[in-house]
Amino acid sequence: MKVFISADIEGVTGVTSWCETEYGQDGYEAACQQMTLEVKAACEAAIELGFEPVVKDGHGSARNIDMNQLPRGTQLIRGWMCSPYGMMAGIDETFDAVIYIGYHSPEGMNTSSLAHTTEHEWYNWVKINDRLASEFSMNALMAADFGVPSVFISGDQGICDHAIEYCGDIETVATKKGIGNATWNRHPLETVEMIKDGVKNALLKKHKLYFIEDEYKMDMYFKEHQQARAASWYPGAELLESNIVRYTSKDVRQLMIAKMFMSEI
């Protein structure tokens, strides 16, 4: 049995300001250590239940997790595969479940000081089929396309609530609440314990497969109208308004390929 663990940093306990998420900046090393401990807890829980954990470091350079602190039997994917699957690169139909650690509220919500979707500078929001999308919802969609359910998420309270709206049976652990530019945090050791317990609970249950629909309409509200105009040249894309571009596909992989290229123009 295998479990895929996608890890980010903005949603781990204590992380509050952008500088803490950037290499060489104030607070970054402490954030990486807490990210490592929260991922470690998830891996330990999976291993104790007989699962083989594969971790994708999904933040920034994708070289944030100290692999020497992870339990034996864990595999870690560092760096980027230059793939439209991004934070989910490595996922396939051989996995039994997906776990998300350190996730954060999306752009368009006010529940995190670090709310963003993919890149803070790119979008005011992204919607899929008229619902606010997040890194979690898009990554869970990719997992569902392979037939793999999303069973657990940890991060700020906003992303936990958002995940439940999409996946009613997902287990959650809220590491903190976001209020303006502040965070109200659990004790780091309590978070680690709750993640380990929550992952075990999640992996012991059967979960439904969400997100599967006949067609996917993706609307991207770019912060800069020039970005929107450039993205609208992608084959099949449509400029709806000065800053909003739409792309529609019946195929999840094609949807994510379009997002990949439209975002990097």
Side-chain angles (χ1 to χ4, degrees):
M1 298 185 294
K2 293 165 58 178
V3 61
F4 191 90
I5 301 175
S6 179
D8 208 347
I9 205 168
E10 288 90 355
V12 305
T13 309
V15 177
T16 304
S17 300
W18 291 110
C19 63
E20 296 172 298
T21 72
E22 299 171 0
Y23 177 78
Q25 298 297 309
D26 184 39
Y28 173 73
E29 295 298 332
C32 287
Q33 172 63 9
Q34 185 61 24
M35 180 184 184
T36 298
L37 292 176
E38 294 183 14
V39 169
K40 177 184 176 183
C43 291
E44 288 175 342
I47 289 170
E48 289 176 15
L49 292 179
F51 288 84
E52 175 188 339
V54 176
V55 178
K56 174 67 187 87
D57 189 326
H59 173 73
S61 67
R63 293 182 285 112
N64 309 279
I65 297 168
D66 181 359
M67 63 189 306
N68 289 307
Q69 295 188 53
L70 300 181
R72 290 174 65 92
T74 302
Q75 297 181 45
L76 176 64
I77 303 171
R78 305 180 80 227
W80 296 105
M81 294 186 186
C82 305
S83 160
Y85 291 103
M87 299 170 75
M88 298 297 288
I91 187 74
D92 62 26
E93 64 280 349
T94 65
F95 286 88
D96 298 282
V98 182
I99 288 166
Y100 306 87
I101 300 294
Y103 269 56
H104 53 81
S105 298
E107 202 78 61
M109 290 180 65
N110 65 352
T111 48
S112 170
S113 54
L114 303 175
H116 67 283
T117 304
T118 310
E119 293 291 343
H120 184 52
E121 294 80 12
W122 291 353
Y123 309 112
N124 286 318
W125 46 254
V126 176
K127 293 182 180 180
I128 295 180
N129 290 352
D130 298 318
R131 299 178 71 185
L132 185 66
S134 62
E135 290 173 19
F136 160 75
S137 68
M138 289 187 284
N139 291 344
L141 170 60
M142 287 184 267
D145 193 47
F146 285 105
V148 186
S150 296
V151 304
F152 177 90
I153 186 170
S154 68
D156 62 69
Q157 185 68 60
I159 193 61
C160 289
D161 294 342
H162 173 85
I164 291 171
E165 289 180 6
Y166 274 94
C167 302
D169 58 3
I170 193 168
E171 293 276 338
T172 68
V173 168
T175 60
K176 57 194 171 186
K177 291 192 298 183
I179 306 170
N181 279 326
T183 58
W184 190 325
N185 298 270
R186 293 186 183 278
H187 190 282
L189 295 179
E190 291 179 3
T191 299
V192 168
E193 292 171 356
M194 292 176 68
I195 287 174
K196 187 170 183 178
D197 290 342
V199 168
K200 282 188 175 182
N201 290 337
L203 291 176
L204 288 170
K205 297 178 181 177
K206 287 190 175 181
H207 293 260
K208 292 175 60 178
L209 196 63
Y210 297 88
F211 297 100
I212 303 302
E213 299 186 39
D214 294 333
E215 186 174 75
Y216 302 94
K217 178 184 67 179
M218 178 172 62
D219 293 337
M220 297 183 289
Y221 186 171
F222 287 90
K223 291 191 174 180
E224 300 294 338
H225 66 85
Q226 300 94 333
Q227 289 177 293
R229 175 173 167 76
S232 71
W233 288 98
Y234 186 84
E238 177 186 4
L239 186 66
L240 298 183
E241 298 179 17
S242 62
N243 292 57
I244 301 177
V245 178
R246 173 173 293 172
Y247 182 83
T248 303
S249 177
K250 297 180 182 297
D251 184 87
V252 172
R253 184 169 178 267
Q254 290 301 319
L255 190 77
M256 294 305 156
I257 290 173
K259 181 179 179 297
M260 176 183 180
F261 285 100
M262 292 166 70
S263 300
E264 295 181 357
I265 290 172

